[in-house]
Each structure stands twice: as structure tokens, then as C-alpha cells.
């Protein structure tokens, strides 16, 4: 720790380098595993283990620095700006996928079938027999027969679960501001449980899609966009639930005060972002 007057500069962190090594090892292993290389599975698990160790080390370092009073007001502002830009990048990330869904359903499908294209130049040249329907197993019916995922049942239940988790997260925040440690811990515990319950139900939904409905990543453009959007969102729910689990653990240790609790705020911002994205998914992927 270095001192500059009344302020402190946090120690340099080597954990981001370790995180990069873990992620690259895991992704390379996963790619090799998909291509039939048995060693890829080992490297994938090794990368995940490195990444988990990194999370524990980095979170511990940040907690120690925060609780020891190292962070000045300026450092707090930089953290908030960093989290805001991070969530903005996540918004753009999902905007691309929602844009892909909109383009596919409202533009490319119609153009390929000759709708809105004058005498049908696109359909005659590219796909004379193409019909604009959604859900589509195209191109060329390559996706085979499948049953589209309905909005009711597990998707509706997951919507209620995620919306409830947003309420419990806000309730926990109010408990923190009111110096009610019991309310804080109960609210966080409920939020974490609901988050992982959501992931469990989504895994059940995927199992049903693959083995009972014939809906897979290979089910044409509908299957690929469905799993791309819901899969990435499920990954973000996992990340958010892990973040809140760390906050819950620190809260049980007596960390955070009404004046110093940005880690909680950052996790809550992220969780509410996940809630909003799911509402968009439920409407545009399941309902429409």
C-alpha cells in the first residue's frame, strides 16, 4: 500500500492476469473437447479451477482493501464509473442479439419470401421456394421438425422467480441502509436461492427442449437465436448469483455499512439489469 497525503493507492493486482490465463485455458479446452480431443476436457476443468481460485483471491483482496479503509472518495467514483460502463457494454452485448432476432423475423424472412421486395427479386434469385414463417427451421428446413417453446409453464414461472428476486434484493438493500443486518442477510439469501433456482429450472427447460421437443441449437434460425439469447442470459444469472453469494458471505462477516457498501450496490445494479433483460426475452422470444 502506498500513501499520498491522506489518500492510499491500492496494491497492484495480478489477479486479472491469472483470470485471463484461466479463461483462455478453459475456452481452448472446451473447443478441443467439442472437436473430439479427449485432453480438451481436462484443460477445460483446469481453466475453470484457475478461474475459481482467481475469484476467491481477487474478492479477498478487494474486501481487505475496502474494510481497511484504503479507498478514497475518488477510488469510489472510479469504481462506480467502471461498473456503469461495464453494464453499458452488457446492454450493447444483448442489443446485438435482440437486433439479430428482430432482423431475422421482420426483415430477412420477408425479403427471402419476396414480401416488400417489388417483383420478388430476392426470393427468385436466392430462395424461390422460401415461405416467411416464424418459428422457422430454415434455411432449407435444415433444422428438421421441432416444437417451439411456449411462454407459459417454466418460462412464466422463471419470470415470476426473477422478478421476486429483484424485490428481495431491494429489500436487502433497505435493510442495509437501515442498519438491519438480519434483513440484509435474509434478503440476500432469498435472492441467491431464487437466482440459482432460476438456473435450475432453465436447465430443466433445456433438457425438455432437446429430448422432448426436438428443439436444439441445430434447429435452424429459431433454435440458434433461442439458445443464444436464453443461454447467454442464463450465464449472466449465474454470474450475478455468484456475485450476490460473495456479498452474502461478506455481510454475514459484518462487512458493509450504510456509508460504505459499493460492492453490494454493484451486484444489485447487475442483478436488476439481468431482470430487465429477462423481461425483454420473455416478451420477444417466448410471447411473440
Amino acid at each position: 500500500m502506498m500513501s499520498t497525503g491522506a489518500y492510499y493507492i491500492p496494491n497492484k493486482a495480478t489477479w486479472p492476469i491469472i483470470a485471463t490465463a484461466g479463461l483462455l485455458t478453459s475456452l481452448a479446452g472446451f473447443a478441443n473437447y467439442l472437436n473430439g480431443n479427449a485432453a480438451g476436457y481436462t484443460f477445460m476443468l483446469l481453466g475453470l479451477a484457475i478461474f475459481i481460485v482467481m475469484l476467491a483471491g481477487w474478492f479477498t483482496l478487494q474486501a481487505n482493501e475496502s474494510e481497511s479503509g484504503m479507498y478514497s472518495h475518488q477510488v469510489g467514483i472510479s469504481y462506480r464509473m467502471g461498473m456503469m460502463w461495464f453494464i453499458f457494454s452488457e446492454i450493447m452485448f444483448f442489443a446485438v442479439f435482440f437486433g439479430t432476432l428482430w432482423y431475422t423475423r421482420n426483415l430477412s424472412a420477408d425479403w427471402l419470401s419476396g414480401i416488400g421486395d417489388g417483383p420478388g427479386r430476392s426470393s427468385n434469385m436466392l430462395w424461390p421456394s422460401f415461405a416467411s414463417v416464424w418459428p422457422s427451421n430454415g434455411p432449407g428446413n435444415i433444422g428438421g421438425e421441432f416444437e417451439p417453446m411456449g411462454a407459459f409453464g417454466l418460462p412464466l414461472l422463471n419470470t415470476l422467480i426473477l422478478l421476486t428476486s429483484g424485490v428481495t434484493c431491494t429489500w436487502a438493500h433497505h435493510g442495509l441502509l437501515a442498519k438491519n443486518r438480519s434483513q440484509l442477510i435474509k434478503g440476500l439469501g432469498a435472492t441467491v436461492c431464487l437466482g440459482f433456482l432460476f438456473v435450475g429450472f432453465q436447465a430443466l427447460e433445456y433438457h425438455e427442449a432437446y429430448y422432448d421437443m426436438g428443439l436444439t441449437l441445430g434447429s435452424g434460425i429459431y433454435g440458434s437465436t433461442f439458445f443464444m439469447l436464453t443461454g447467454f442470459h442464463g450465464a449472466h444469472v449465474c454470474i450475478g448469483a455468484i456475485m450476490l453469494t460473495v456479498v452474502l458471505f461478506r455481510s454475514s462477516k459484518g462487512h458493509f455499512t450504510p456509508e460504505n457498501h459499493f460492492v453490494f450496490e454493484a451486484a444489485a445494479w447487475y442483478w436488476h439489469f439481468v431482470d430487465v433483460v429477462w423481461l425483454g426475452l420473455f416478451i420477444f422470444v417466448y410471447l411473440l
Side-chain angles (χ1 to χ4, degrees):
M1 179 176 69
M2 299 174 58
S3 173
T4 57
Y7 299 102
Y8 297 94
I9 300 175
N11 297 305
K12 291 183 178 179
T14 57
W15 292 113
I17 300 174
I18 298 175
T20 303
L23 284 175
L24 288 177
T25 302
S26 181
L27 291 174
F30 182 64
N32 279 275
Y33 175 72
L34 288 179
N35 288 322
N37 188 341
Y41 185 74
T42 302
F43 278 98
M44 180 177 67
L45 293 181
L46 175 62
L48 288 174
I50 293 173
F51 191 72
I52 291 171
V53 170
M54 178 280 305
L55 288 177
W58 202 355
F59 287 159
T60 300
L61 175 64
Q62 190 278 332
N64 291 336
E65 289 178 347
S66 176
E67 292 302 309
S68 63
M70 292 178 62
Y71 295 157
S72 65
H73 178 67
Q74 184 177 358
V75 173
I77 292 176
S78 69
Y79 270 140
R80 282 167 173 77
M81 292 298 295
M83 191 65 190
M84 281 189 249
W85 280 112
F86 171 67
I87 291 178
F88 176 76
S89 72
E90 294 285 87
I91 293 172
M92 293 298 100
F93 180 83
F94 278 99
V96 171
F97 294 152
F98 277 109
T100 300
L101 179 64
W102 177 83
Y103 180 86
T104 301
R105 293 178 60 171
N106 297 283
L107 295 179
S108 63
D110 287 349
W111 289 341
L112 286 173
S113 64
I115 299 175
D117 191 30
R121 289 183 294 271
S122 296
S123 59
N124 291 333
M125 180 174 63
L126 298 175
W127 218 301
S129 61
F130 183 84
S132 179
V133 295
W134 190 265
S136 172
N137 61 356
N141 298 326
I142 194 173
E145 296 296 326
F146 64 86
E147 180 183 348
M149 184 64 67
F152 302 101
L154 282 177
L156 179 59
L157 178 60
N158 263 350
T159 301
L160 297 175
I161 288 172
L162 211 54
L163 291 177
T164 303
S165 73
V167 174
T168 58
C169 184
T170 302
W171 184 63
H173 193 193
H174 285 304
L176 174 58
L177 295 177
K179 298 183 180 180
N180 187 336
R181 183 72 51 174
S182 176
Q183 179 177 326
L184 167 64
I185 293 174
K186 289 177 181 177
L188 281 172
T191 305
V192 169
C193 290
L194 289 170
F196 284 117
L197 182 62
F198 175 95
V199 175
F201 279 142
Q202 189 173 52
L204 184 62
E205 177 186 63
Y206 278 13
H207 183 274
E208 181 182 352
Y210 261 74
Y211 295 100
D212 297 333
M213 302 170 64
L215 178 60
T216 70
L217 272 168
S219 299
I221 187 63
Y222 174 78
S224 60
T225 53
F226 173 82
F227 285 104
M228 177 179 64
L229 278 160
T230 59
F232 273 117
H233 177 268
H236 282 71
V237 173
C238 284
I239 293 171
I242 292 171
M243 292 167 61
L244 288 169
T245 301
V246 174
V247 174
L248 174 60
F249 177 77
R250 289 188 57 186
S251 298
S252 67
K253 294 292 185 181
H255 293 192
F256 308 125
T257 65
E259 299 76 27
N260 180 23
H261 62 275
F262 172 68
V263 170
F264 179 95
E265 287 184 329
W269 293 352
Y270 190 84
W271 196 251
H272 292 312
F273 156 74
V274 168
D275 282 351
V276 172
V277 171
W278 177 256
L279 286 177
L281 278 172
F282 184 71
I283 294 171
F284 294 106
V285 175
Y286 289 95
L287 276 177
L288 299 182

